[in-house]
Amino acid sequence: MTNHWVDIKNANVVMVMGGNAAEAHPVGFRWAMEAKNNNDATLIVVDPRFTRTASVADIYAPIRSGTDITFLSGVLLYLIDNNKINAEYVKHYTNAALLVRDDFTFDDGLFSGYDAEKRQYDKSSWSYQFDDNGMAKRDDSLTHPRCVWQLLKKHVSRYTPEVVENICGTPKADFLRVCDVLASTSAADRTTTFLYALGWTQHTVGAQNIRTMAMIQLLLGNMGMAGGGVNALRGHSNIQGLTDLGLLSTSLPGYLTLPSEKHIDLQSYLAANTPKAMLAEQVNYWSNYPKFFVSLMKAFYGDAAQPENSWGYDWLPKWDQAWDVIKYFNKMDKGEVNGYICQGFNPVASFPDKNRVVSSLSKLEYLVVIDPLVTETSNFWQNHGEMNDVDTASIQTEVFRLPSTCFAEEDGSIANSGRWLQWHWKGGEAPGEARTDGEILAGIFHRLRDMYRNEGGKGAEPLLNMRWAYKQPDHPESDEVAKENNGYALADLYDANGVLVAKKGQLLSSFALLRDDGTTSSSCWIYTGSWTEKGNQMANRDNADPSGLGNTLGWAWAWPLNRRVLYNRASADPQGKPWDPKRMLIQWDGAKWSGNDIPDFNTAAPGSATGPFIMQPEGLGRLFALDKLAEGPFPEHYEPMETPLGTNPLHPNVISSPVVRLYEEDAQRMGKKDQFPYVGTTYRLTEHFHTWTKHARLNAIAQPQQFVEISETLAKTKGIANGDRVKVSSRRGFIRAVAVVTRRLQALNVHGQQVETVGIPLHWGFEGVTQKGYLANTLTPNVGDSNSQTPEYKAFLVNIEKA
Ligand SMILES: Nc1nc2c(c(=O)[nH]1)N[C@H]1C(S)=C(S)[C@@H](COP(=O)(O)OP(=O)(O)OC[C@H]3O[C@@H](n4cnc5c(=O)[nH]c(N)nc54)[C@H](O)[C@@H]3O)O[C@H]1N2
Ligand SMILES: Nc1nc2c(c(=O)[nH]1)N[C@H]1C(S)=C(S)[C@@H](COP(=O)(O)OP(=O)(O)OC[C@H]3O[C@@H](n4cnc5c(=O)[nH]c(N)nc54)[C@H](O)[C@@H]3O)O[C@H]1N2
Ligand SMILES: [Mo]
């Protein structure tokens, strides 16, 4: 989230699209209700299903799964055509005025630079025009035919209300009503907050869904504002921490990039990742990249990281392409993987195309499962009839189960969606032989390191040189790791005026103190300030809220630097006056910014040329994304990989995303609408958490048995009655379940045909105390978004029959 949970109460419009917050975030959703009940906010839900969130909404609009870019581009067109934008904000805080290269084009579904063979773009034309000083050219009148504003207007001009209705199946009147309410927040003192989750991310165009919404927020002037922002409601309680700490295949902690094989040395790596300002007078905060990176290497390798060895740069792995789960299982299936360590992951239940996952695991020599529970993955080799039809005797994979504790059995911090790090304390001792994940990993680490020491082997340096300075080497404590994340002064540190700012050995109070000369360490720069010489800031529990905005700066600690609303400089106009005085976040006191939040790093006086989007080298919010996304600098509608239309009404030559992440083996497992005419979509229920709570009797009682949901019209066509057993099949397999016939799902009229949706909750499997069920992921396709590699769990093709 750019904002945070409590801040939702400040919104005038709460737009829930691409998520079902009442169901999946029932505690946080209270803040949406608070906005509705106490701030007179309008709650809008746009979802293929009439959900529990929709049941308390002021406006509900249906949409065909996988078509949100069309809907949101239609909103962009509406705002532009009706002049419902915050014009001053757009002009000064976005890149609307910047000129784009002449060779950037868009035609018949493709942007310039497409290479059909590689299924990739050469993105060099997706850039600005630069002057002799390397600064982007601009036209503040916004009339130049190559300025972002004019190109954007042209690009979205195709997304008329009629096109939205035709592609999304959203009735035109519903769409226009949503537009009208959103448009009301272009007023300087009104905001919309967008709450989204997997209904947007789990598509082959997931990242672009979110981006289109972010563009709306820029046009409305809602970024940086209390009650505004781009707010991902994250999934597992600490999944924000997962991305913060770089647990993605091409990331390092603090949103640094893991080197690729293109960057053969430290210099080329730093050059590629340290942006140069694209406009004069910008903060361009990523220009500090080398400080964050070198401090990370000092945390990893300690004294072994020295300038002579480029701080241990060669010890980091270098990627060729994203080594995500899609690629890994593809290699496993080809027999190219010997062993797999599965920690807190149940891929048989949660990864697409379950039958292929099981056959891939069968090709391993060994599988290690680190988990507090028995999972479908640790028992993948067992035959459970149709639910897991394997030939146990032929599977040679050796499975090791290492029971772990869960979060309630250890101290630690949890990062929530609002970037708050909240410390928690162990609630009880773990049962049986369970150990913490840290202990288990430490045990593996020491044994591996000893083997390398004694027997030698390739690529041992990272292990041999790793810093491991814990009091009990076999049992790192959470507080030790947390302080390592925060970071230390490794020498006395002086500022530019020669004043001592931190003594050797002290915890650092801010990432502004980090250096690229080896005198500081921090294993996650954005967490610097979370545990300082003043103590553990994450354990702060003062909920005083003097402004009434809910920023509670004394409660826990938010990265970066306890800032609650990112880019809060944009909450004031260029002259420094808050757009909405009632919701003032920061203001200029004549010498500095201060107010009800920790001011953004923009220290420039009002009226200066310094833009509020300090992480961008031009300081501006990007309506044109340059080369950041795989499909193009503007969003474009592409059909889901398995489309119920079989065409793209906008450009039949380019149906689905031209750059999807798809392996040939999986391409052969894609279905067509003639055999599988209905849209399948998977989702959650409040009563269960993934496949864990089917082990808990109370949850099993609340939702004991697997079901699927269909509309009354589909039920009639197929002769299915409420409560009948049905078989749902896709190109990849089938499941059986009970049919729930409901008016919550409706056929949508799309491009001259009726599109029906089959709703598939995902919580059942062959383990646990619920009734045994088929894994929903038996049906889903293994195809991913080309930016995030997230699989398309929300839109695929199925058939349904009475069993
Ligand atoms: N009780 C409970 N809570 C949970 C979880 C759980 O298992 N149980 N899981 C947690 C996790 S890990 C996560 S990531 C979050 C997920 O939170 P959510 O994303 O809110 O959950 P989902 O139920 O997967 O999907 C949300 C909605 O997206 C809609 N949808 C599907 N396709 C589209 C589309 O193309 N466009 C639009 N606009 N909507 C679409 C679906 O109909 C569904 O109502 O929930 C978390 N919270
Ligand atoms: N069809 C379909 N598939 C989906 C989704 C969907 O919407 N539709 N949603 C996707 C999403 S958003 C997510 S997040 C994934 C989740 O998929 P997974 O990452 O596989 O997550 P879980 O099943 O929630 O948890 C995995 C395991 O972690 C264990 N665990 C819990 N606490 C600890 C701990 O402290 N240490 C260790 N070592 N293990 C622990 C649990 O017991 C569980 O077995 O599923 C994805 N799969
Ligand atoms: Mo998730």
Side-chain angles (χ1 to χ4, degrees), residues 16-26 46-49 51 63-68 196-203 209 233-236 239 681-691 762-763 794-795:
V16 182
M17 184 168 178
N20 181 9
E23 185 101 42
H25 300 89
V46 182
D47 197 295
R49 306 181 303 124
T51 60
I63 185 171
R64 172 168 66 102
S65 186
T67 64
D68 296 62
Y196 72 94
L198 306 179
W200 272 351
T201 59
Q202 293 178 338
H203 291 284
N209 278 331
L233 309 188
R234 312 240 17 205
H236 291 77
I239 201 71
T681 193
T682 56
Y683 48 88
R684 294 153 168 72
L685 307 171
T686 303
E687 293 81 355
H688 278 299
F689 192 83
H690 289 250
T691 41
L762 50 78
H763 302 292
K794 290 285 188 263

Side-chain angles (χ1 to χ4, degrees), residues 9-46:
K9 78 184 172 100
N10 299 317
N12 304 100
V13 176
V14 179
M15 177 84 169
V16 182
M17 184 168 178
N20 181 9
E23 185 101 42
H25 300 89
V27 179
F29 188 67
R30 63 172 286 203
W31 298 110
M33 293 309 290
E34 189 105 351
K36 187 172 146 73
N37 295 333
N38 295 332
N39 201 32
D40 204 22
T42 308
L43 176 59
I44 306 176
V45 171
V46 182

Side-chain angles (χ1 to χ4, degrees), residues 253-305:
Y255 301 93
L256 304 183
T257 308
L258 187 71
S260 86
E261 62 181 14
K262 274 191 258 169
H263 302 126
I264 52 163
D265 55 24
L266 179 66
Q267 287 66 34
S268 64
Y269 167 74
L270 290 180
N273 287 288
T274 312
K276 291 202 175 59
M278 293 175 168
L279 284 177
E281 291 177 55
Q282 300 310 315
V283 173
N284 184 25
Y285 207 76
W286 278 118
S287 61
N288 295 300
Y289 196 99
K291 301 175 189 167
F292 311 148
F293 181 75
V294 174
S295 299
L296 175 68
M297 299 302 276
K298 290 301 287 183
F300 279 178
Y301 304 120
D303 290 340

Side-chain angles (χ1 to χ4, degrees), residues 202 236 346 350 370-371 437 682 684 692 762 777 793-794:
Q202 293 178 338
H236 291 77
N346 183 7
S350 59
I370 308 175
D371 205 293
D437 288 87
T682 56
R684 294 153 168 72
W692 315 11
L762 50 78
N777 275 320
Y793 294 114
K794 290 285 188 263

